């Protein structure tokens, strides 16, 4: 009984959720280990929440509304849909068409995603898509396990620290060697960078070697790909 439009919107967000599995799973582990909630509340703005430290979501709650009032905390934020930078520590009235939940990314974020699969079990982290939002320093701790057993309760899981640093003319993304292990852990990984920026980078290097880069002017995203990289070695990306 769902309309074609409702079905289309549901499919889009269901697929986005599956692509965000590495991000969500890492925060689920953080919640278990550190006791920190994945969702952050705003007592004075009850119709919005943070989703991890990198995202802010402001669902529309009034029938027929095409805009939404959003308060962004301190810092610089990026409108997920337009790539526009939005000032923090103030309120905004944002466009909210029926197919777009207002969604903002904190500048300096590293958001790991993976390629779409029709279920969590059918997906894997052999190729990770790192969405990078330069302009501020940031970090992310990727957590992985075998995905099926409770071995993580015995400490059998791996963590990978990702760090973003910015200079006046450069951005460094360092992916530290994986720490820990679990059953079936792959020793190699493909890293694909999606760099959200207003112009094409002049050069992207990985451990001193130049990578090919393509730039989408409409989406304001530069893409650089690297394949079969050891998870036990440092991966140092330099973007200029």
């Amino acid at each position: 009984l769902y309309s074609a439009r409702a079905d289309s919107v549901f499919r889009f967000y269901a697929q986005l959720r599956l692509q965000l599995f590495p991000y969500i799973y890492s925060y689920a582990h953080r919640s278990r280990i550190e006791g920190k909630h994945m969702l952050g509340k705003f007592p004075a703005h009850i119709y919005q929440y943070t989703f991890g430290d990198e995202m802010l979501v402001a669902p529309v709650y009034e029938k027929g509304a095409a805009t939404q009032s959003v308060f962004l905390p301190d810092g610089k934020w990026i409108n997920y849909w337009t790539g526009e930078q939005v000032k923090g520590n103030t309120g905004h009235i944002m466009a909210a068409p029926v197919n777009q939940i207002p969604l903002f990314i904190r500048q300096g974020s590293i958001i790991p995603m993976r390629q779409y699969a029709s279920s969590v079990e059918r997906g894997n982290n052999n190729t990770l898509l790192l969405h990078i939002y330069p302009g501020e320093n940031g970090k992310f701790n990727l957590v992985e396990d075998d995905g099926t057993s409770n071995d993580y309760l015995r400490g059998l899981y791996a963590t990978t620290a990702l760090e973003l640093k910015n200079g006046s003319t450069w951005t460094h993304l360092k992916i530290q060697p994986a720490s820990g292990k679990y059953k079936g852990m792959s020793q190699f990984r493909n890293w694909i960078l999606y760099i959200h920026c207003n112009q094409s980078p002049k050069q992207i290097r990985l451990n001193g070697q130049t990578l090919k880069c393509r730039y989408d002017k409409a989406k304001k995203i530069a893409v650089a790909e690297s394949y079969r990289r050891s998870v036990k070695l440092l991966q140092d990306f330099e973007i200029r």
Side-chain angles (χ1 to χ4, degrees):
L1 299 179
Y2 288 112
S3 69
R5 184 175 70 174
D7 183 70
S8 175
V9 172
F10 173 79
R11 286 178 183 273
F12 174 85
Y13 286 101
Q15 291 179 13
L16 179 60
R17 177 178 178 273
L18 285 165
Q19 290 175 292
L20 279 168
F21 183 76
Y23 178 85
I24 296 170
Y25 204 63
S26 294
Y27 272 108
H29 268 282
R30 187 188 78 165
S31 179
R32 181 185 66 84
I33 296 168
E34 301 179 18
K36 294 182 179 179
H37 293 296
M38 187 185 306
L39 303 184
K41 300 178 181 179
F42 293 85
H45 307 279
I46 61 174
Y47 296 110
Q48 64 180 56
Y49 59 92
T50 50
F51 186 44
D53 295 335
E54 288 78 11
M55 299 184 182
L56 186 144
V57 190
V60 173
Y61 59 92
E62 293 181 324
K63 184 177 180 178
T67 61
Q68 172 69 316
S69 176
V70 182
F71 179 83
L72 294 177
D74 283 336
K76 298 175 182 177
W77 296 82
I78 308 298
N79 185 322
Y80 176 82
W81 305 107
T82 66
E84 173 192 8
Q85 187 177 114
V86 188
K87 184 179 179 182
N89 197 30
T90 189
H92 302 270
I93 301 297
M94 306 303 300
V98 70
N99 62 329
Q100 289 185 6
I101 297 174
L103 175 60
F104 302 87
I105 312 296
R106 188 187 299 274
Q107 195 168 45
S109 292
I110 306 167
I111 299 180
M113 300 176 66
R114 69 186 189 184
Q115 294 167 334
Y116 170 71
S118 58
S119 69
V120 169
E121 293 77 14
R122 292 182 178 181
N124 62 65
N125 288 3
N126 294 338
T127 295
L128 285 186
L129 321 177
L130 295 182
H131 284 260
I132 308 299
Y133 292 81
E136 297 289 339
N137 296 338
K139 60 184 179 180
F140 189 88
N141 191 41
L142 176 72
V143 185
E144 303 168 279
D145 59 27
D146 64 18
T148 57
S149 74
N150 289 327
D151 284 353
Y152 67 89
L153 295 173
R154 300 190 291 114
L156 294 179
Y157 59 88
T159 62
T160 304
L162 298 88
E163 184 178 17
L164 191 67
K165 288 189 175 181
N166 293 270
S168 58
T169 60
W170 54 266
T171 297
H172 269 286
L173 171 67
K174 288 190 176 183
I175 303 174
Q176 298 294 338
S179 175
K181 63 180 181 180
Y182 55 88
K183 184 179 178 180
M185 179 176 171
S186 176
Q187 297 303 303
F188 298 93
R189 172 172 287 146
N190 306 323
W191 298 101
I192 303 179
L193 267 58
Y194 287 77
I195 307 157
H196 295 255
C197 49
N198 291 324
Q199 60 185 14
S200 177
K202 294 180 180 179
Q203 186 181 61
I204 300 176
R205 295 168 66 87
L206 170 56
N207 294 349
Q209 295 185 340
T210 301
L211 296 178
K212 291 182 179 179
C213 173
R214 62 182 185 273
Y215 185 69
D216 187 323
K217 291 183 179 180
K219 295 182 179 179
K220 300 179 181 179
I221 298 176
V223 182
E225 303 175 358
S226 61
Y227 294 95
R228 198 169 169 76
R229 311 299 300 188
S230 172
V231 299
K232 293 297 184 179
L233 295 177
L234 172 70
Q235 310 298 325
D236 187 357
F237 292 89
E238 181 182 7
I239 305 161
R240 291 187 178 273

